[in-house]
């Protein structure tokens, strides 16, 4: 159980990067971008092919950022310049990326188990520095000692750094313009702001994060597959919705932190659900759909109950006021 939860948190930090990209497109730009299912694989494909051809895994991961930005930008161009519906432009790009990803990989699956990756490099560095032994000796009383802390700590650090950079970006002039574009595009246009460029940039940045996450997931899992991005947009939305429901989203800093927390909670729920006897690995997508449905319905039920209780209190207060007024009237008449 401890191992499953630890692995879920590890994976949660990696998928949190993808969820931050989804948050940027869906919440900030208010753009239903389905490019995510394709750009996630594109990042994995580019990084995997570069790694097996001898490229430094860190450079290969950085290359995933660039191709992801290009994919998202094309989606933005299709919408802003081609005047294609936002949902349709994302679907078209997602379909196109399926063939592009096959071209990049040259086959449907690229194994990385025998290759040096970011994960193996960080694991070796931690072991050589003796950090794993030092940490494990301090927590040996807990009864659980993971194989290595390298991936956990590194991915947590990367996710937090990206979260902080995104927070700072959204506080700049460009970031405020992005947020305003998502809230009221017509108003921003009236101030002579180039909303087309802002949309293209925002979608490019969103898919850059998604592709980077895909590259890290491929190196974490030891392979890239042309079908690994199916349903990724639902996972991203689940992370955003769960995070906002559990941790709130009153400020940008809190919202981005909630997205990371939501991604981790989602992976933990998924890991625990798969331990149920009658559920199988093939039920992952079904479990994901159920998690999203629950995350969408429960907050509405809670809000409705709060509103109901609030109305009941107001009604009771009004009735007490009426009774007091009646009592005062009766007293005066006496």
């Amino acid at each position: 159980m401890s191992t499953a939860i630890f692995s879920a948190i590890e994976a949660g930090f990696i998928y949190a990067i993808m969820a931050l990209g989804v948050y940027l497109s869906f919440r900030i730009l208010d753009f239903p971008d389905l490019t995510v299912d394709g750009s996630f694989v594109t990042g994995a494909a580019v990084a995997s092919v570069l790694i097996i051809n001898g490229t430094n895994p860190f450079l290969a991961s950085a290359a995933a950022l660039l191709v992801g930005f290009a994919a998202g930008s094309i989606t933005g161009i299709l919408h802003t310049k081609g005047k294609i519906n936002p949902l349709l432009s994302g679907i078209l790009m997602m379909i196109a990326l399926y063939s592009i990803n096959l071209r990049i990989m040259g086959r449907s699956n690229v194994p990385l188990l025998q290759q040096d990756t970011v994960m193996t490099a960080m694991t070796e560095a931690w072991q050589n520095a003796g950090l794993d032994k030092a940490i494990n000796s301090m927590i040996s009383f807990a009864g659980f000692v993971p194989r290595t802390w390298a991936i956990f700590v590194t991915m947590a650090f990367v996710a937090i750094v990206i979260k902080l950079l995104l927070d700072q970006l959204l506080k700049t002039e460009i970031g405020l313009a992005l947020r305003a574009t998502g809230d009221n595009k017509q108003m921003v246009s009236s101030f002579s702001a180039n909303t087309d460029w802002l949309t293209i940039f925002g979608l490019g940045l969103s898919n850059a994060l998604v592709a980077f996450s895909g590259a890290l997931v491929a190196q974490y899992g030891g392979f890239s597959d042309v079908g690994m991005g199916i349903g990724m947009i639902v996972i991203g939305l689940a992370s955003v919705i769960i995070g906002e429901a559990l941790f709130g989203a009153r400020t940008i800093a809190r919202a981005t932190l909630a997205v990371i927390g939501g991604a981790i909670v989602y992976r933990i729920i998924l890991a625990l659900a798969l331990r149920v006897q009658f559920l199988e690995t093939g039920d992952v997508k079904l479990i994901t759909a159920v998690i999203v449905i629950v995350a969408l319905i429960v907050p509405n039920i809670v809000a409705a109950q709060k509103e109901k209780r609030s109305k009941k209190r107001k009604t009771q207060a009004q009735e007490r006021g009426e009774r007091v007024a009646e009592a005062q009237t009766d007293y005066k008449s006496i």
Side-chain angles (χ1 to χ4, degrees), residues 36-257:
V36 169
D37 281 14
S39 59
F40 185 85
V41 184
T42 303
V46 169
S48 299
V49 170
L50 288 175
I51 287 172
I52 64 175
N53 282 286
T55 304
N56 182 286
F58 293 94
L59 293 178
S61 301
L65 276 168
L66 298 178
V67 296
F69 186 89
S73 297
I74 293 173
T75 300
I77 291 171
L78 290 175
H79 169 60
T80 57
K81 305 303 181 183
K83 305 303 178 184
I84 300 176
N85 177 274
L87 190 62
L88 184 57
S89 61
I91 293 173
L92 290 172
M93 194 60 199
M94 176 185 66
I95 294 172
L97 283 175
Y98 184 88
S99 296
I100 293 171
N101 295 334
L102 277 175
R103 284 275 188 173
I104 293 171
M105 292 191 292
R107 45 186 168 167
S108 61
N109 186 287
V110 176
L112 294 173
L113 294 175
Q114 304 301 320
Q115 305 294 329
D116 290 329
T117 64
V118 170
M119 306 304 167
T120 58
M122 294 307 302
T123 300
E124 290 176 4
W126 273 64
Q127 290 176 346
N128 293 335
L131 294 175
D132 282 331
K133 289 182 179 179
I135 296 175
N136 289 338
S137 64
M138 289 188 291
I139 64 164
S140 57
F141 64 89
F144 168 71
V145 178
R147 184 176 62 85
T148 180
W149 288 89
I151 299 174
F152 181 95
V153 176
T154 303
M155 292 302 103
F157 176 77
V158 171
I160 294 299
V161 167
I162 291 175
K163 172 248 188 305
L164 294 175
L165 290 175
L166 188 59
D167 290 346
Q168 291 302 312
L169 172 66
L170 294 176
K171 292 177 182 178
T172 63
E173 185 176 345
I174 293 176
L176 291 172
L178 279 172
R179 293 160 63 183
T181 300
D183 289 335
N184 193 326
K185 193 173 183 178
Q186 287 72 26
M187 183 195 72
V188 177
S189 299
S190 68
F191 289 107
S192 301
N194 192 334
T195 55
D196 287 354
W197 181 88
L198 289 168
T199 301
I200 294 169
F201 173 74
L203 291 176
L205 182 59
S206 169
N207 284 278
L209 294 178
V210 171
F212 183 61
S213 176
L216 294 177
V217 168
Q219 296 173 73
Y220 179 73
F223 71 96
S224 65
D225 187 271
V226 73
M228 66 189 295
I230 297 175
M232 202 53 58
I233 185 62
V234 179
I235 295 174
L237 284 173
S239 301
V240 173
I241 293 167
I242 292 171
E244 290 179 346
L246 293 178
F247 308 108
R250 293 183 179 179
T251 64
I252 291 296
R254 186 171 179 177
T256 51
L257 185 61

Side-chain angles (χ1 to χ4, degrees), residues 241 245 293-304:
I241 293 167
I293 291 170
V294 172
L296 286 170
I297 292 176
V298 170
N300 292 333
I301 295 175
V302 173

